[in-house]
Each structure stands twice: as structure tokens, then as C-alpha cells.
Amino acid sequence: MLVATVIAVGYAAWVMIGRRVENRRIEERDQRLRAAAERALPPELSGTEVKILQFYAMPGELRAGEKGKICYGVLNARAVRMEPAVEALRPVLSRCFEIAPRASTRYTLTAEGNDGRLVSESFVLKVAP
């Protein structure tokens, strides 16, 4: 019985450490992407065309009951909306907010330009049971 308990505890620790390492790797990648997007902003700041600069989730995958964040940034937009509606959005260059989906969900961000033109991007955030 003691051996089984030790094996079970060891396995649980191994799984939790593995998840932590993977989440850290994903967060570091997202920070690099965010930094690269910020460095790329000056050329894109010219013009009046509506653009989605960034739209992603951190971490890239969740377990049921976990919380994550969705980050987005738009340029030259007068309005922004997301489906499914999660939170009131506003046109900003960079913003993140917390989410806690119960199941895998496709999120779609739509930005409307001053000329009425729409641009959209979407991704699926997977939620493992």
C-alpha cells in the first residue's frame, strides 16, 4: 500500500511540474510575441486602415476550472466586439482580460474601422477535462 501511495504521489508531482513547465514556456513565448508586436508598431501606425495587431490566449490551452487571459490590440478601430461576448471591449493597442471557459471555445474578434470596414480573427481555446 505504501509503494502505491508513493508512486501515486510521484506521478501527481510529475504531472504538475510538467504542466507548470509547459505553462511557463507558453507565457515566455507570448511575452516574446508581444514584445515583437510592440517593436513592429511604428510602421503600422501610419494610414487609416483598421487592423487587428494581436489576438491570442495565455496559456494556449487550459484544464477545466483553470483561468486564462485573452489579449487583443487593434489599430484605427472605432468599435470592437468578441463572440462569444466575454467582456465589454474597447479599441486599444494592447489589452488583456481574464477568462474561465468551461469547454473548448472559438473566440472571434471583430474590429470596425472609421470607414465601416470590418476585419476579424479567431482562434479556438482548448479546455481539457
Side-chain angles (χ1 to χ4, degrees):
M1 184 68 167
L2 179 60
V3 172
T5 302
V6 169
I7 291 172
V9 169
Y11 177 75
W14 177 73
V15 167
M16 296 207 39
I17 290 170
R19 286 182 188 166
R20 188 174 196 185
V21 168
E22 180 64 12
N23 283 343
R24 184 174 291 148
R25 185 190 66 76
I26 290 170
E27 287 174 5
E28 288 171 355
R29 182 205 68 200
D30 290 341
Q31 288 173 350
R32 285 192 306 274
L33 289 172
R34 192 175 355 202
E38 288 172 3
R39 285 191 302 273
L41 279 179
E44 294 189 9
L45 289 176
S46 62
T48 59
E49 185 178 345
V50 63
K51 298 175 188 172
I52 296 176
L53 302 174
Q54 56 185 330
F55 183 47
Y56 60 92
M58 316 189 288
E61 185 172 320
L62 297 173
R63 294 233 176 264
E66 290 182 336
K67 293 181 181 181
K69 289 184 180 183
I70 289 182
C71 299
Y72 72 96
V74 295
L75 184 64
N76 299 321
R78 71 174 174 198
V80 182
R81 69 178 180 271
M82 186 177 302
E83 294 177 23
V86 178
E87 181 171 299
L89 303 183
R90 61 189 185 277
V92 294
L93 291 176
S94 181
R95 179 170 180 250
C96 297
F97 57 89
E98 194 172 85
I99 55 166
R102 295 180 182 176
S104 295
T105 305
R106 173 173 295 279
Y107 292 95
T108 302
L109 179 72
T110 302
E112 181 180 355
N114 292 321
D115 59 359
R117 185 170 170 262
L118 300 174
V119 294
S120 295
E121 286 189 21
S122 65
F123 64 82
V124 174
L125 178 59
K126 293 182 182 179
V127 177

